[in-house]
Amino acid sequence: MKKEWKLWKQFIKEHQKSIFALFLVSFFTFGFKLFHYSISIDTETILTIPTRLFKSWIGIGRPVLVFLKYVFPFRPFNPFLAILVTYILFTIFTIFLYYLFYRKKREKSPFRLFLFGSILLTSAIYIEQLGFLLQSAEISIIFLIFCFSVLLFLIGQEEKKKWYYFFSFLCLTFCFGAYQSFVLLFITVIALLTFMEIKEGRGFQSSCAFVLPAIFICLFSGIGYIIGCKICNLLVHSNESVYLSNQIVWFKQPIMLTIKNIFTLIFEGYFGVFFEKGLFYGFVNLLAFLFLMMYLVSVFKRREKNKFLKCIIVVLLLFVPFSLTIFLGAKEVYRAQLALPVLVAFSVSFLSVSFKNSILSVLVVLAISNQFILTYQVLVSDYFRYLEDVSYANLLYSELKNYNILEKRVVMLGGFSSTSPLIIRQGETLGHSFFHWDLYFETGVGERASRFMQTLGYPILTNTKEDFQYAKNFEEMLEVFPNKNSILETEELVIVRLS
């Protein structure tokens, strides 16, 4: 490890200006939240019913998140601390991840690091994931543990010491226990490292010797994760949730339709900018695809060994980030697609520099700038959405306080979503109102909206599914809030019609 520490210090010294620049990029994207307090979907839950939330995390196979909540000073939940930890560790993660690729060639390239890190730091997919403040600090910690897992695997390969594999397995199992998408992220990073091996002239046998231990580590980590989840469920008497299994749609619909949907989703992953998916699949994704194709063409043109193997690995790289989509038969939520931005960042930063074309470099900078603008707009819009939600909650409480809300549950019919011109772009969850998100949920918007109002100090009692169904009978009798006759009080409920 002394040798590794020496290499790390060399890397830092060679790229110190780029590292400083990346902290600035991060500051002007996610760092916006350091000075503009807001919470978004689900954060209200950890602020009001944390114990129930932790139990649900164990039920859906994320016990490590709960473990980290108790080990680190993240309980009771402090949004400001969560944002600060997320900002610092997420930025370090992008640098650490690049280092894993750097150590294969050990080639000084500050511009390449800047491109790589900027793509990840401005990715709407990662910002959506970290927008879940209730777990963002823990996920940022797991990002670093993930990098250590890959690093230990690489050291084990180079020094032929199997005990490094064991610690890599422990770290990776820990990552899986925090968020299942790290399975796909590990597969993708190993595939990219394999690509570097083959690109440098390694043959099939040498590549297999590199990949096979990684496959075994991933499999054993998966087994360890499953066993660990079973034990945790028994300890806390929690039932395993069908949250994950319900996402598998194979054989629940015609097979050809499932296959068609999978290829459509993969196609959108690279060309989504042409199908109004530019926020998550922007121009930078398109450039990544083009660079991989350009490399493929260059392999055919040149006389070199292992042409077929190089072509195969490039084609595999295009599909690897969508492995879970292929397994599920359905699209993952954007915030779970952690592997795709890494492939894009690698392809653009490593291959664009290889082609040494000034026009391509300008296109890359413009694509990243466009990605930054879109992501920044989402974060700013979410902040103004929060202000609008607070304003609406204040107005709503000013009327509800005239009723017996201390003893009666509040049911909200319909929903509210601000039309403020300041909310110019919505993400997957960022930018969406607490008073609108659950419009079609069985309890209506009231369950989440009441908890949001509780975070503001308002004593609103949460309604049940039965309450909501009963309140629907009075919907046509009520006008839309804040008009007169928009609120009705019954023996057990206070009913308000929002829309």
Side-chain angles (χ1 to χ4, degrees):
M1 292 300 290
K2 288 184 179 179
K3 181 181 177 182
E4 194 65 39
W5 178 244
K6 184 178 179 181
L7 180 61
W8 171 256
K9 289 194 292 185
Q10 176 187 323
F11 166 76
I12 296 297
K13 185 177 180 180
E14 291 176 349
H15 300 85
Q16 53 187 333
K17 291 182 179 179
S18 294
I19 291 170
F20 176 74
L22 287 179
F23 271 96
L24 286 180
V25 171
S26 182
F27 180 79
F28 286 110
T29 47
F30 189 81
F32 172 86
K33 296 181 72 65
L34 287 169
F35 305 98
H36 300 83
Y37 172 80
S38 67
I39 61 172
S40 55
I41 302 302
D42 281 356
T43 306
E44 82 291 343
T45 308
I46 198 170
L47 289 170
T48 54
I49 50 170
T51 302
R52 198 162 94 183
L53 175 68
F54 296 160
K55 193 170 182 179
S56 73
W57 276 351
I58 294 173
I60 62 174
R62 298 173 187 173
V64 170
L65 289 181
V66 180
F67 174 77
L68 292 176
K69 284 289 183 192
Y70 283 85
V71 170
F72 292 97
F74 300 139
R75 193 183 65 91
F77 179 71
N78 183 333
F80 296 101
L81 178 62
I83 293 168
L84 179 61
V85 171
T86 301
Y87 162 69
I88 296 172
L89 297 190
F90 177 51
T91 311
I92 294 174
F93 159 70
T94 62
I95 298 164
F96 196 167
L97 187 60
Y98 177 86
Y99 170 76
L100 298 176
F101 299 119
Y102 158 86
R103 64 191 306 286
K104 276 290 178 184
K105 287 188 68 174
R106 305 187 184 184
E107 182 179 273
K108 177 182 176 181
S109 182
F111 182 61
R112 179 184 290 165
L113 169 60
F114 180 74
L115 291 181
F116 182 88
S118 295
I119 291 172
L120 291 182
L121 291 171
T122 61
S123 167
I125 288 176
Y126 275 88
I127 295 302
E128 279 285 352
Q129 174 59 237
L130 300 177
F132 281 82
L133 288 184
L134 70 165
Q135 63 179 41
S136 65
E138 291 78 15
I139 291 297
S140 298
I141 292 171
I142 295 299
F143 277 142
L144 297 186
I145 294 174
F146 170 83
C147 288
F148 275 112
S149 175
V150 178
L151 178 62
L152 289 166
F153 163 74
L154 293 175
I155 295 174
Q157 281 267 321
E158 295 160 1
E159 298 188 8
K160 308 299 181 184
K161 294 179 179 178
K162 300 297 187 292
W163 65 273
Y164 280 108
Y165 290 162
F166 175 73
F167 287 108
S168 175
F169 150 77
L170 290 180
C171 289
L172 194 59
T173 304
F174 201 72
C175 294
F176 292 174
Y179 203 62
Q180 293 85 356
S181 293
F182 280 97
V183 177
L184 192 54
L185 186 59
F186 181 77
I187 294 171
T188 301
V189 170
I190 294 300
L192 291 171
L193 290 167
T194 305
F195 170 76
M196 294 185 75
E197 293 272 336
I198 295 172
K199 190 172 180 289
E200 294 303 310
R202 300 289 180 90
F204 178 77
Q205 189 173 358
S206 177
S207 300
C208 285
F210 177 79
V211 171
L212 284 177
I215 293 175
F216 281 112
I217 289 173
C218 190
L219 286 175
F220 284 120
S221 295
I223 294 170
Y225 159 70
I226 293 171
I227 295 172
C229 286
K230 296 283 186 184
I231 294 172
C232 289
N233 279 311
L234 289 173
L235 290 175
V236 301
H237 306 290
S238 173
N239 295 321
E240 289 187 59
S241 172
V242 295
Y243 173 76
L244 298 174
S245 59
N246 281 346
Q247 297 180 45
I248 302 176
V249 302
W250 281 103
F251 307 112
K252 295 179 182 178
Q253 62 184 15
I255 293 178
M256 292 308 299
L257 177 61
T258 303
I259 294 173
K260 178 185 176 183
N261 289 340
I262 290 172
F263 277 97
T264 299
L265 294 170
I266 295 174
F267 184 80
E268 288 180 350
Y270 297 107
F271 302 97
V273 70
F274 300 120
F275 301 95
E276 300 182 352
K277 303 287 178 67
L279 176 61
F280 298 102
Y281 306 136
F283 286 107
V284 70
N285 290 45
L286 175 62
L287 287 176
F289 178 84
L290 292 176
F291 286 135
L292 285 170
M293 291 301 100
M294 288 170 64
Y295 174 75
L296 201 60
V297 171
S298 69
V299 168
F300 275 108
K301 285 184 176 181
R302 294 195 300 262
R303 291 183 179 181
E304 54 184 81
K305 296 180 180 179
N306 303 316
K307 276 191 175 185
F308 179 74
L309 186 59
K310 291 179 179 179
C311 293
I312 289 295
I313 190 63
V314 170
V315 173
L316 286 176
L317 284 178
L318 292 172
F319 288 92
V320 163
F322 302 96
S323 300
L324 194 55
T325 295
I326 296 170
F327 172 74
L328 296 174
K331 183 180 181 178
E332 303 169 82
V333 293
Y334 289 115
R335 60 184 177 275
Q337 299 177 34
L338 302 179
L340 183 58
V342 172
L343 172 70
V344 170
F346 177 91
S347 302
V348 170
S349 58
F350 280 82
L351 295 181
S352 65
V353 174
S354 299
F355 290 120
K356 297 179 181 178
N357 186 302
S358 57
I359 296 177
L360 290 177
S361 298
V362 170
L363 290 176
V364 167
V365 173
L366 290 175
I368 296 174
S369 299
N370 175 256
Q371 180 172 276
F372 164 76
I373 291 170
L374 295 179
T375 301
Y376 183 74
Q377 287 176 347
V378 170
L379 286 169
V380 173
S381 294
D382 187 63
Y383 170 68
F384 286 116
R385 181 277 316 158
Y386 174 75
L387 296 183
E388 290 292 317
D389 276 357
V390 171
S391 178
Y392 189 76
N394 293 338
L395 177 63
L396 185 58
Y397 181 72
S398 69
E399 294 297 326
L400 289 175
K401 69 181 181 180
N402 298 319
Y403 299 85
N404 188 14
I405 58 174
L406 294 178
E407 297 179 0
K408 297 181 180 182
R409 298 180 296 279
V410 176
V411 180
M412 302 180 192
L413 300 174
F416 163 80
S417 186
S418 175
T419 56
S420 169
L422 296 174
I423 304 174
I424 59 177
R425 193 172 300 279
Q426 290 180 321
E428 186 173 41
T429 56
L430 295 177
H432 292 271
S433 172
F434 287 104
F435 295 95
H436 190 270
W437 182 257
D438 294 313
L439 189 60
Y440 302 106
F441 192 56
E442 60 184 7
T443 57
V445 303
E447 185 177 359
R448 187 182 300 277
S450 66
R451 292 200 184 105
F452 167 67
M453 294 182 70
Q454 289 169 23
T455 68
L456 302 175
Y458 298 141
I460 306 296
L461 299 179
T462 303
N463 68 282
T464 65
K465 179 174 65 174
E466 291 74 21
D467 293 337
F468 182 72
Q469 292 303 319
Y470 174 76
K472 292 283 286 183
N473 297 319
F474 301 94
E475 187 167 18
E476 296 303 321
M477 298 170 51
L478 300 173
E479 295 183 36
V480 175
F481 182 82
N483 294 322
K484 291 183 178 180
N485 303 320
S486 60
I487 301 176
L488 174 69
E489 186 171 8
T490 68
E491 290 184 3
E492 295 184 350
L493 305 173
V494 175
I495 305 168
V496 55
R497 185 179 180 183
L498 304 185
S499 68

